[in-house]
């Protein structure tokens, strides 16, 4: 399986009432208590279904004009593009334009002008903006963002609900919680001096480059650095502009100052050249393909001498998720988990399997479901399930095969009932997956439950959805304040 749905499948729906009501209790000035946003079911006759149907009807046949937003102002350039609905190419869901190099540089300057004031704003105030945005997404703006994700990115209602509602809400709420807890994480002080840690934003601007497939990722790539006091240039995916712009507007309505995040649709290579070429570039928050991330990393290295700091590079790329099935596994659980992690077909890879002399299509191969043999090394980035059948006595060889065959290290799963086998797999596959599942499918990571990410060429494994992720977007300053004057330059042993 490829990494397409690694975040998605597996969150369970609940009723509307649980989704509307939130429990948040302030423990003290810098701590909050939050829980994962429940998944709504959209049953016939439910209020959430009615709200979504209205939102979908409002989008029917309409084209939303989406400008670049630079320095708080809407800007249009001559380079006009259209986002098409993936299941109805006749429907132009959005009209937008590309920022040119001059406009990107203007966005950089506008962001830098806002950096100092935003960084000095107390984290409690910054957190409140994201908590308010989460409440808006949870309640009155939920249907709008879901509808725009469905129409613009071709997701089903539950796919959109898991992504654009639950995961994005969780990112905003838990990031706020983690930021406040980080502020409370202070070093030890002694009688004669007080020690403290100041969690500053990075000096410069962060470029956020978001993908087409997850609305939540875009909101988090731009939102997490901003929460920590950074200013951001957000380049959304061309094929996710409709939903991304909705999230951006919600953040502004929740109180995010206009210049903190610049909304900059642009040609990918031009944007990359412009941001990595700026002396003020201090970070990249990226989700996308391996070749693009490598290109940006190389550009950063080539421009290293012009930067004032060493830029922070955070990247989430793809994967080749594995389900390792041992003979002791519960077969029904294996089948159900694997089917939940995979979908229908990608024709090009099926045709490749048919033409190959070393591969055999065991069943299907047409437009319906299929099960075929294909132990590939590259990410397909689509719903293709490949199966490798191994002799039971070669189990240990298969462990090595999994660890060494692909260059990825995103997610994987072991299905077995024998504890010895599970522990052996955990040990030998220690570096093969950033998210490892035992007797469960290799997809469906939930914010704060399974912080997500992989290493090797799957990315930098910074674990969005967990508390450590926010540290990537801070430049801590240790402060020592001494309360007792020093009366002698000599140490005691020198007396």
């Amino acid at each position: 399986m490829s990494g397409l749905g690694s975040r998605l499948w597996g969150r369970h729906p609940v009723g509307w009432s649980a989704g509307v009501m939130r429990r948040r209790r302030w423990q003290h000035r810098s701590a909050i208590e939050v829980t994962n946003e429940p998944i709504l079911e959209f049953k016939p006759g439910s209020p959430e279904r009615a709200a979504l149907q209205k939102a979908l009807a409002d989008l029917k046949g309409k084209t939303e004009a989406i400008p670049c937003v630079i320095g708080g102002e809407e800007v249009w350039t001559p380079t006009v593009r259209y986002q098409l609905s993936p299941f109805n190419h006749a429907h132009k869901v959005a009209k937008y334009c590309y920022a040119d190099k001059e406009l990107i540089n203007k966005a950089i300057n506008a962001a830098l002008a806002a950096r100092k004031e935003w960084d000095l704003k107390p984290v409690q105030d910054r957190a409140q903006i994201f908590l308010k945005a989460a409440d808006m997404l949870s309640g009155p703006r939920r249907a709008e963002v879901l509808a725009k994700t469905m129409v613009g990115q071709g997701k089903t209602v539950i796919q959109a609900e898991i992504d654009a509602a639950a995961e994005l809400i969780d990112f905003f709420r838990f990031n706020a919680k983690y930021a406040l807890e980080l502020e409370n994480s202070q070093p030890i002080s002694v009688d004669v001096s007080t020690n403290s840690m100041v969690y500053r934003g990075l000096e410069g601007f962060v470029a956020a480059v978001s993908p087409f497939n997850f609305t939540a990722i875009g909101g988090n790539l731009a939102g997490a650095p901003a929460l920590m006091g950074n200013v951001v240039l957000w380049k959304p995916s061309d094929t996710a502009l409709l939903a991304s712009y909705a999230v951006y507007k919600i953040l502004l309505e929740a109180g995010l100052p206009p210049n903190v995040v610049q909304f900059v649709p642009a040609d990918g290579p031009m944007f990359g050249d412009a941001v990595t070429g700026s002396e003020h570039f201090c970070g990249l928050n990226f989700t996308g393909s391996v070749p693009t991330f490598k290109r940006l990393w190389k550009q950063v290295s080539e421009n290293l001498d012009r930067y004032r700091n060493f830029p922070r590079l955070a990247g989430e790329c793809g994967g080749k998720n594995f389900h390792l099935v041992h003979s002791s596994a519960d077969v029904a659980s294996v089948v159900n988990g694997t089917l939940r992690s995979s979908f229908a077909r990608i024709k090009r890879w099926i045709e490749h399997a048919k033409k190959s002399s070393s591969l055999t299509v065991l069943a299907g191969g047409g437009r319906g479901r299929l099960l075929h043999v294909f132990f590939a090394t590259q990410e397909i980035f689509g719903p293709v399930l490949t199966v490798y059948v191994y002799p039971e006595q070669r189990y240990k060889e298969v462990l090595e095969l999994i660890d060494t065959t692909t260059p990825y290290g995103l997610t994987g799963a072991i299905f077995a009932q024998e504890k010895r086998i599970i522990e052996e797999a955990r040990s030998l596959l220690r570096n093969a997956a950033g998210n490892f599942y035992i007797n469960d499918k290799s997809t469906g990571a939930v914010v704060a439950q399974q912080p997500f990410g992989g290493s090797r060429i799957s990315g930098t494994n910074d674990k969005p959805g967990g508390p450590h992720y926010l540290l990537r977007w801070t430049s801590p300053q240790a402060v020592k304040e001494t309360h007792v004057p020093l009366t002698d330059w000599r140490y005691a042993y020198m007396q």
Side-chain angles (χ1 to χ4, degrees):
M1 290 169 288
S2 67
L4 178 64
S6 297
R7 292 171 172 269
L8 185 58
W9 299 108
R11 297 187 66 152
H12 303 295
V14 300
W16 168 259
S17 60
V20 173
M21 299 300 294
R22 299 289 308 179
R23 292 178 297 174
R24 183 178 297 126
R25 178 172 60 85
W26 285 92
Q27 295 174 318
H28 50 87
R29 187 168 178 257
S30 300
I32 57 173
E33 195 174 280
V34 298
T35 58
N36 290 107
E37 178 73 6
I39 307 297
L40 306 186
E41 291 185 311
F42 299 89
K43 292 179 179 177
S46 65
E48 70 267 25
R49 187 183 181 104
L52 180 58
Q53 287 175 326
K54 181 182 183 303
L56 288 168
D58 291 342
L59 292 176
K60 191 171 183 180
K62 291 184 179 178
T63 302
E64 182 171 348
I66 300 179
C68 300
V69 185
I70 310 297
E73 297 181 359
E74 297 184 358
V75 182
W76 285 91
T77 70
T79 313
V80 174
R81 297 284 189 271
Y82 292 92
Q83 179 188 351
L84 306 181
S85 174
F87 55 85
N88 179 11
H89 289 183
H91 183 191
K92 297 175 179 178
V93 299
K95 173 186 176 182
Y96 63 98
C97 64
Y98 274 167
D100 55 24
K101 186 175 183 180
E102 181 181 354
L103 195 56
I104 295 171
N105 287 330
K106 185 177 179 181
I108 292 172
N109 292 331
L112 293 173
R115 190 194 73 82
K116 185 174 182 180
E117 182 180 356
W118 177 245
D119 182 40
L120 289 174
K121 183 180 280 292
V123 69
Q124 293 84 0
D125 295 345
R126 297 197 303 261
Q128 282 304 305
I129 294 170
F130 287 89
L131 291 171
K132 183 176 180 181
D135 287 344
M136 293 168 67
L137 284 162
S138 180
R141 304 298 286 277
R142 192 183 201 116
E144 174 198 349
V145 177
L146 292 184
K148 289 181 176 179
T149 298
M150 293 170 69
V151 171
Q153 288 143 266
K155 295 200 174 191
T156 67
V157 58
I158 292 299
Q159 289 172 341
E161 168 71 1
I162 291 170
D163 165 23
E167 182 161 286
L168 183 53
I169 292 166
D170 283 353
F171 273 138
F172 286 172
R173 285 184 173 146
F174 279 98
N175 282 348
K177 170 185 170 66
Y178 297 145
L180 294 171
E181 290 175 345
L182 187 61
E183 187 79 1
N184 280 340
S185 178
Q186 294 295 327
I188 296 171
S189 293
V190 294
D191 292 340
V192 297
S193 63
T194 300
N195 299 306
S196 62
M197 191 71 76
V198 179
Y199 295 95
R200 306 169 298 180
L202 306 180
E203 190 178 10
F205 72 92
V206 173
V209 179
S210 58
F212 74 93
N213 57 327
F214 276 92
T215 300
I217 293 178
N220 190 52
L221 290 180
L227 170 66
M228 301 313 294
N230 297 282
V231 289
V232 180
L233 267 65
W234 180 8
K235 191 201 95 58
S237 167
D238 291 358
T239 51
L241 265 169
L242 186 66
S244 296
Y245 190 57
V247 172
Y248 178 65
K249 290 193 296 183
I250 288 170
L251 284 170
L252 294 178
E253 292 171 28
L256 188 73
N259 281 331
V260 171
V261 175
Q262 314 287 323
F263 192 78
V264 194
D267 171 70
M270 177 180 287
F271 182 83
D273 291 346
V275 296
T276 59
S278 170
E279 64 178 308
H280 301 289
F281 174 75
C282 68
L284 172 66
N285 207 8
F286 173 89
T287 295
S289 71
V290 173
T292 302
F293 191 46
K294 284 185 174 180
R295 180 182 187 273
L296 289 167
W297 196 296
K298 288 177 182 176
Q299 287 179 291
V300 170
S301 67
E302 290 166 358
N303 292 321
L304 201 57
D305 289 340
R306 71 175 60 186
Y307 302 139
R308 300 185 66 182
N309 297 285
F310 291 103
R312 305 284 177 88
L313 305 180
E316 183 182 314
C317 300
K320 195 70 181 173
N321 311 340
F322 62 85
H323 279 189
L324 173 59
V325 184
H326 185 255
S327 58
S328 67
D330 182 295
V331 175
S333 179
V334 171
V335 172
N336 290 329
T338 302
L339 289 177
R340 277 195 174 186
S341 290
S342 183
F343 319 138
R345 50 90 186 151
I346 287 186
K347 188 175 181 180
R348 179 170 64 91
W349 291 94
I350 294 169
E351 293 303 316
H352 174 78
K354 288 180 178 178
K355 293 175 182 177
S356 174
S357 60
S358 61
L359 302 170
T360 303
V361 176
L362 296 182
R367 290 184 173 270
R369 294 181 181 273
L370 72 144
L371 186 66
H372 60 96
V373 176
F374 200 124
F375 200 82
T377 61
Q378 298 302 311
E379 180 191 42
I380 302 170
F381 207 71
V384 171
L385 170 65
T386 64
V387 179
Y388 178 80
V389 181
Y390 66 93
E392 184 176 352
Q393 64 272 20
R394 297 181 61 187
Y395 168 71
K396 288 191 176 181
E397 294 179 34
V398 171
L399 287 173
E400 183 178 356
L401 195 64
I402 290 173
D403 189 40
T404 59
T405 299
T406 84
Y408 298 97
L410 189 56
T411 83
I414 169 75
F415 288 84
Q417 294 300 308
E418 296 182 20
K419 294 296 182 183
R420 176 184 60 83
I421 295 297
I422 293 173
E423 291 305 313
E424 184 177 42
R426 288 187 64 176
S427 175
L428 295 177
L429 299 178
R430 183 176 176 85
N431 297 306
N435 283 54
F436 191 73
Y437 298 83
I438 300 170
N439 291 319
D440 201 355
K441 58 188 177 50
S442 59
T443 59
V446 178
V447 171
Q449 294 187 34
Q450 300 92 29
F452 187 78
S455 54
R456 296 180 175 172
I457 69 165
S458 288
T460 52
N461 200 18
D462 296 293
K463 288 292 188 280
H468 309 101
Y469 178 64
L470 296 184
L471 277 171
R472 291 288 282 161
W473 309 113
T474 66
S475 179
Q477 181 186 55
V479 178
K480 177 185 179 182
E481 180 181 0
T482 298
H483 309 300
V484 179
L486 190 63
T487 58
D488 194 338
W489 63 267
R490 292 170 297 181
Y491 290 96
Y493 80 92
M494 300 173 69
Q495 301 300 322

